[in-house]
């Protein structure tokens, strides 16, 4: 496994070195953009109103599109993974010692042999990873569903998450949201969401939870061992929908099955079941759901909603459990531009059932830290939290892990040098369901600004480079420089449901680097530019961020801010 990983890493290193050299050589070419700076600044009111005390930290712990969290602990080390859909690399992985301060250590699916999402929509690809540790063979496992590349359900493994993961093992079962469970006796199991048996579907959204015995020697489910352990959900008579993302835990010789229920929207929740045997039968807790925001006033202050898709872990002091889960923070128009984010709550498991503390009342923006923990977020490589400023000049040899591609690994089109970031444009534009030559950063606040400095001289009207705000291939804004006849233009294009409209365009002086900026105040977005490095002008007025919202565009991702180039531009200045 390590030899295989090292081989792929060496190939990527050679490719990256060659491309970096190419990037430096093409800096002088006038049709290749070079981005010399990027500044992202968050400005949410909630973080101004709720100042942290010394023993507090902010919730969500990861802002922006880091959905479907799953967590594991080995010794003092916590590892957490998230869905990545058609983003590349896939499955971001974070490390912590205390559940408060997190560093991104990379991605689990970090090379093409593991991730094949080049021809799929933004919300397909990699769904709902689960990460587990098997003490019997001292191995970490990440199991997930990849709706692309003829993969389906897969598992990868490693002895050390800091050193990379194996190529995928394809698993022989249908359904989604798989999770592994390793029992004290060394036996292993897979649980997952699936459709009911043929002919037994009772209503739309009727799903089941299945369990299989798992063969650790061959990394495969045992044929014929599948069994339905939950039919429909907590109470089938109430027609529960979308029972999914199961996890099994063992405590006091009892087996607990925890699942999301209600779909990943405003009826989302978490439910728990108990059994004397990992293969069931399972009985639901009388107090289900144990986590949800669905019963609350729709116009509550600092609204957090859609809570569910949870995973449990022991806290750093071993005397308390914690649960990580997804939820959303809609803006003033109830739009979800930051996507599904990662939240955390303490869990009281002193009795028979685990209970999320304050998980059924409005979630607060901040929490008390575990005893003895110091808040170091935003320092020494720990991920920032609250309102923060992130600056990047792209002169390091490697990109920060927060930068991603869509359907294409950044190494395929982006390189860094002393001049900044060079993007070699693909012959596809941002609206294609194909690899996109755009380097993306997640939108992490409802109110923010993102500013980049770009040197670019497009060759023709097919060439364009600049900023994009991207929810999907059919919902996005393009704010870029192109050419028409012999003149250079800056334009703003809005694409909704695949239909594009030029909102505004203007002649622009490109003799010097141009600064491009998007700033948002909730649903109000403004696109600005500067040709002198000091004075900004607006183009297109105030526009709506509606098309950047998950609940308008559909799908499962949050908005992304991209540094973009193409040689297949179809946006023509007016």
């Amino acid at each position: 496994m390590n030899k295989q990983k090292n081989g792929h890493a060496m190939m990527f290193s050679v490719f990256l070195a060659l491309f970096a050299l190419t990037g430096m050589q093409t800096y002088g070419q006038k049709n290749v953009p070079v981005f010399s700076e990027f500044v992202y600044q968050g400005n949410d009111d909630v973080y101004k109103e709720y100042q942290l005390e010394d023993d507090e930290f902010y919730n969500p712990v990861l802002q922006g599109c880091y959905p479907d969290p799953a967590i594991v602990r080995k010794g003092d080390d916590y590892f957490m993974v998230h869905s990545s859909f058609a983003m590349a690399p896939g499955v971001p992985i974070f490390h912590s010692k205390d559940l408060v301060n997190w560093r991104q250590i990379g991605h689990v699916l970090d090379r093409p042999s593991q991730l094949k999402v080049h021809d799929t929509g933004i919300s397909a690809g990699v769904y709902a990873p689960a990460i587990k540790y098997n003490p019997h063979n001292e191995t970490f496992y990440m199991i997930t569903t990849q709706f692309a590349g003829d993969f389906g359900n897969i598992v990868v493994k490693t002895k050390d998450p800091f050193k990379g993961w194996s190529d995928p093992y394809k698993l022989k079962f249908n359904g989604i949201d798989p999770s592994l469970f390793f029992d004290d006796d060394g036996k292993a199991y897979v649980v997952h969401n699936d459709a009911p048996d043929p002919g037994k579907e009772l209503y739309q959204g009727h799903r089941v939870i299945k369990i299989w015995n798992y063969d650790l020697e061959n990394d495969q489910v045992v044929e014929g061992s599948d069994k339905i352990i939950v039919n429909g959900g907590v109470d089938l008579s109430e027609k529960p929908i979308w029972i999914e993302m199961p996890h099994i835990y063992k405590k006091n010789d009892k087996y607990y099955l925890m699942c999301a229920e209600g779909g990943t929207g405003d009826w989302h929740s978490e439910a728990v079941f108990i059994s004397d045997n990992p293969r069931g039968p399972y009985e639901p807790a009388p107090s289900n759901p144990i986590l949800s925001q669905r019963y609350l006033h729709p116009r509550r202050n600092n609204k957090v909603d859609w809570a569910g898709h949870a995973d449990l872990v022991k806290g750093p002091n071993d005397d308390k459990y914690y649960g990580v889960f997804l939820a959303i923070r809609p803006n003033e128009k109830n739009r979800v531009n930051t996507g599904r984010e990662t939240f955390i709550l303490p869990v009281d498991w002193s009795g028979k059932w685990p209970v999320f503390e304050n998980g059924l009342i409005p979630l607060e923006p901040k929490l008390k830290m575990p005893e003895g923990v110091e808040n170091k977020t935003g320092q020494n490589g720990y991920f920032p939290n609250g309102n923060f400023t992130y600056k990047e000049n792209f002169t390091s040899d490697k990109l920060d892990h927060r930068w991603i591609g869509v359907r294409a690994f950044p190494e395929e089109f982006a390189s860094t040098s002393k001049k900044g970031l060079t993007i070699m444009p693909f012959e596809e534009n941002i609206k294609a369901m194909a690899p996109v030559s755009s380097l993306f950063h997640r939108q992490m606040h409802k109110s923010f600004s993102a500013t980049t400095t770009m040197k670019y001289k497009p060759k023709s009207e097919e060439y364009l480079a600049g900023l994009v705000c991207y929810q999907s291939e059919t919902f996005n804004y393009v704010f870029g420089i192109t050419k028409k006849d012999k003149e250079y233009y800056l334009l703003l294009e809005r694409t909704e449901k695949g239909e594009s409209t030029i909102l505004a365009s203007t002649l622009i002086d490109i003799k010097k680097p141009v600064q491009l900026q998007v700033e948002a105040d909730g649903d109000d977005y403004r696109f600005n530019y500067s040709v002198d490095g000091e004075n900004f002008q607006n183009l297109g007025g105030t526009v709506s961020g509606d098309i950047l919202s998950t609940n308008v565009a559909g799908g499962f991702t949050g908005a992304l801010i991209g540094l973009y180039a193409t040689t297949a531009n179809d946006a023509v200045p007016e």
Side-chain angles (χ1 to χ4, degrees):
M1 177 180 68
N2 288 334
K3 288 183 179 179
Q4 185 178 46
K5 163 67 179 176
N6 291 339
H8 284 290
M10 185 176 294
M11 290 172 62
F12 253 84
S13 297
V14 171
F15 177 82
L16 188 57
L18 290 172
F19 187 74
L21 179 60
T22 304
M24 285 186 280
Q25 291 174 339
T26 57
Y27 175 72
Q29 297 181 12
K30 298 175 182 179
N31 58 353
V32 176
V34 177
F35 298 86
S36 56
E37 187 178 56
F38 176 86
V39 180
Y40 175 93
Q41 187 167 12
N43 193 35
D44 282 352
D45 288 339
V46 65
Y47 299 121
K48 302 172 188 175
E49 297 167 3
Y50 289 82
Q51 297 291 318
L52 290 179
E53 302 295 333
D54 290 341
D55 61 345
E56 295 176 330
F57 67 106
Y58 283 126
N59 211 13
V61 290
L62 294 183
Q63 297 160 233
C65 182
Y66 293 99
D68 304 336
I71 194 167
V72 70
R73 178 183 177 183
K74 180 196 174 187
D76 294 332
D77 294 300
Y78 294 92
F79 298 94
M80 185 164 59
V81 294
H82 311 266
S83 292
S84 54
F85 306 102
M87 303 169 194
V91 186
I93 181 168
F94 289 80
H95 171 259
S96 178
K97 292 284 190 179
D98 51 33
L99 298 177
V100 173
N101 304 295
W102 293 92
R103 284 193 177 101
Q104 186 173 0
I105 61 173
H107 292 80
V108 175
L109 305 179
D110 63 0
R111 57 188 187 272
S113 61
Q114 300 170 309
L115 184 70
K116 300 181 185 300
V117 294
H118 58 278
D119 58 356
T120 193
I122 182 64
S123 284
V126 179
Y127 278 65
I131 185 170
K132 304 293 179 182
Y133 177 71
N134 185 359
H136 299 284
N137 61 6
E138 299 180 329
T139 301
F140 290 87
Y141 293 77
M142 192 284 293
I143 187 170
T144 190
T145 309
Q146 186 171 161
F147 283 114
D150 193 33
F151 270 136
N153 290 299
I154 59 171
V155 66
V156 296
K157 56 185 183 178
T158 185
K159 296 288 186 180
D160 185 349
F162 290 97
K163 295 182 178 180
W165 297 72
S166 72
D167 276 354
Y169 297 86
K170 293 174 66 174
L171 302 173
K172 298 177 181 178
F173 61 88
N174 297 319
I176 62 171
D177 292 10
S179 180
L180 283 157
F181 171 67
F182 304 109
D183 207 348
D184 299 336
D185 59 7
K187 293 181 180 179
Y189 304 87
V190 169
V191 284
H192 66 95
N193 159 300
D194 206 349
D197 291 339
K200 294 186 178 181
E201 182 173 313
L202 301 177
Y203 50 86
Q204 183 68 27
H206 177 203
R207 303 290 286 181
V208 303
I209 298 299
K210 282 185 179 178
I211 190 166
W212 300 72
N213 297 344
Y214 188 74
D215 180 350
L216 288 165
E217 292 297 322
N218 296 299
D219 284 297
Q220 189 56 262
V221 293
V222 176
E223 186 177 358
S225 67
D226 56 310
K227 176 186 177 184
I228 294 175
I229 54 175
V230 174
N231 183 15
V234 170
D235 185 349
L236 187 61
S237 69
E238 295 185 0
K239 298 183 178 180
I241 59 171
W242 291 105
I243 189 79
E244 57 191 1
M245 198 57 256
H247 293 285
I248 293 179
Y249 313 95
K250 190 174 185 180
K251 187 174 185 287
N252 298 331
D253 293 323
K254 297 289 185 180
Y255 297 88
Y256 291 83
L257 173 69
M258 192 174 74
C259 306
E261 188 184 284
T264 190
D266 60 7
W267 203 245
H268 207 194
S269 69
E270 200 71 19
V272 66
F273 306 75
I274 195 170
S275 178
D276 293 323
N277 188 295
R279 292 179 58 87
Y282 281 90
E283 295 294 328
S287 56
N288 281 321
I290 59 172
L291 168 70
S292 186
Q293 298 285 283
R294 68 191 183 193
Y295 300 115
L296 306 176
H297 195 288
R299 295 184 181 177
R300 57 194 180 274
N301 290 334
N302 299 315
K303 181 179 178 180
V304 176
D305 211 357
W306 302 7
H309 199 115
D311 197 5
L312 302 180
V313 71
K314 271 193 173 182
N317 301 313
D318 286 321
D319 60 345
K320 196 172 195 65
Y321 282 80
Y322 284 80
V324 294
F325 57 96
L326 73 78
I328 56 103
R329 295 177 297 144
N331 66 23
E332 76 282 2
K333 294 190 176 180
N334 208 38
R335 291 172 180 151
V336 188
N337 295 35
T338 50
R340 295 166 171 87
E341 304 175 292
T342 290
F343 288 72
I344 191 169
L345 279 179
V347 173
D348 182 353
W349 207 344
S350 58
K352 179 179 179 180
W353 301 103
V355 177
F356 282 81
E357 295 184 9
N358 298 325
L360 297 174
I361 64 175
L363 293 177
E364 294 290 331
K366 57 183 185 176
L367 291 173
K368 294 291 184 182
M369 287 189 292
E371 186 176 350
V373 175
E374 180 183 353
N375 191 335
K376 300 177 183 178
T377 54
Q379 307 171 35
N380 302 319
Y382 291 112
F383 224 59
N385 205 279
N387 283 334
F388 57 83
T389 299
Y390 168 65
K391 296 182 179 180
E392 177 63 77
N393 60 15
F394 301 110
T395 57
S396 299
D397 292 338
K398 294 183 179 180
L399 288 168
D400 189 285
H401 290 308
R402 75 192 75 191
W403 290 102
I404 53 170
V406 168
R407 304 184 202 91
F409 288 85
E411 296 91 335
E412 297 177 55
F413 60 87
S415 64
T416 58
S417 71
K418 293 181 180 179
K419 298 291 186 180
L421 175 77
T422 300
I423 293 185
M424 300 297 291
F426 289 160
E427 294 180 0
E428 298 281 3
N429 66 38
I430 201 74
K431 291 168 275 189
M433 196 181 295
V436 176
S437 45
S438 182
L439 194 65
F440 288 104
H441 182 283
R442 292 164 174 85
Q443 179 180 329
M444 306 173 82
H445 298 79
K446 290 181 276 188
S447 296
F448 74 95
S449 66
T451 309
T452 191
T453 303
M454 180 182 74
K455 179 68 175 177
Y456 180 54
K457 188 174 184 180
K459 182 179 180 180
S460 68
E461 64 183 14
E462 286 81 26
Y463 284 66
L464 179 143
L467 272 178
V468 294
C469 288
Y470 183 87
Q471 172 60 231
S472 72
E473 55 275 3
T474 54
F475 290 84
N476 53 73
Y477 283 105
V478 172
F479 185 48
I481 294 173
T482 188
K483 189 176 184 180
K484 182 180 178 182
D485 300 324
K486 295 183 180 181
E487 303 287 353
Y488 299 100
Y489 287 82
L490 176 66
L491 62 80
L492 177 62
E493 179 189 57
R494 173 187 167 99
T495 297
E496 180 178 4
K497 298 180 180 178
E499 297 294 324
S500 299
T501 304
I502 303 297
L503 300 182
S505 62
T506 184
L507 289 166
I508 191 167
D509 182 356
I510 61 168
K511 294 185 181 68
K512 295 180 181 179
V514 176
Q515 287 184 298
L516 301 176
Q517 179 185 80
V518 55
E519 57 179 1
D521 181 8
D523 189 63
D524 294 333
Y525 282 63
R526 292 176 63 83
F527 292 86
N528 310 314
Y529 68 99
S530 174
V531 295
D532 62 8
E534 294 181 4
N535 302 298
F536 279 86
Q537 302 177 65
N538 173 258
L539 184 68
T542 299
V543 299
S544 175
D546 55 353
I547 60 170
L548 304 177
S549 169
T550 306
N551 56 359
V552 172
F556 304 106
T557 60
L560 306 174
I561 304 155
L563 308 180
Y564 166 61
T566 182
T567 58
N569 175 50
D570 61 1
V572 180
E574 295 180 342

